[in-house]
Amino acid sequence: MINNWIDFNYSNPLEFDSNKFVFLVHAIQLGSPISINGRPMDRKFGIGYKIFRDLKKNLKSPEPDYDLVDNPFDIAKMTIIDCSLIGRGKHHEKCFEQLNTWNPVGFILSVPAENILVAEKKDLNSDFINPEEEIQHYTNADNGDPWDLLLNGIGTYNHVLIKGKCDKIKIIGVFDNEWALRDSPQAFKNFYKEWAEKISKNANVPLITISDQKELLQSTPSEVGKE
């Protein structure tokens, strides 16, 4: 089976160009900036975080409940890792802008090509309760074509499933996806930006802001048309 990811080139966060980049990212569950009663909410009590944590506990999942905010590098201990491929740019004269992420903040990863199990232009609904079974299910699957994900996306985040428990999986950056929050209240934008800054500091890696392209072009007209 051909592995289309072996010679695929990702961007270096240290040389970030907002109009020309490709990153493999893992979004983090951070809850919501405002609780039901209107007060700031602890991220661990966000509805998505709590449901997932309780489900793993009730079903006696063998996978520990990793806190990637306080301990970012535990991501390499996870059995499977949900990722997406995002970017802006041009490939063979065809432009792409694939910026959807499951949540607006997370890690930019460096992952060995052989650890990529499968990639689809849709949510694969990974089974984190029984991750070893998920690995077995996709062991002989077609792991997809990264350029297909970028050039032919269907309006939602794509899904790249990674086999974890590998010390070669590295965090090389943290992303703050302003594009995903372009229609959100300012309170949401501030909430996620603050967390992105904290996580970047905890991991000691660059923080990359993915701007809304319309705002970027309006603020820097001299950059329009540059490659």
Side-chain angles (χ1 to χ4, degrees), residues 30-42:
L30 289 172
S32 171
I34 300 174
S35 66
I36 294 175
N37 61 10
R39 294 181 299 177
M41 183 174 64
D42 186 311

Side-chain angles (χ1 to χ4, degrees), residues 20 34-35 57 96 119 129 144 150 168 170 183 186 190 210:
K20 188 178 180 181
I34 300 174
S35 66
K57 181 180 179 180
F96 62 89
I129 307 303
L150 292 171
K168 292 183 179 180
K170 304 292 185 183
D183 297 320
Q186 191 61 43
N190 294 342
I210 301 169

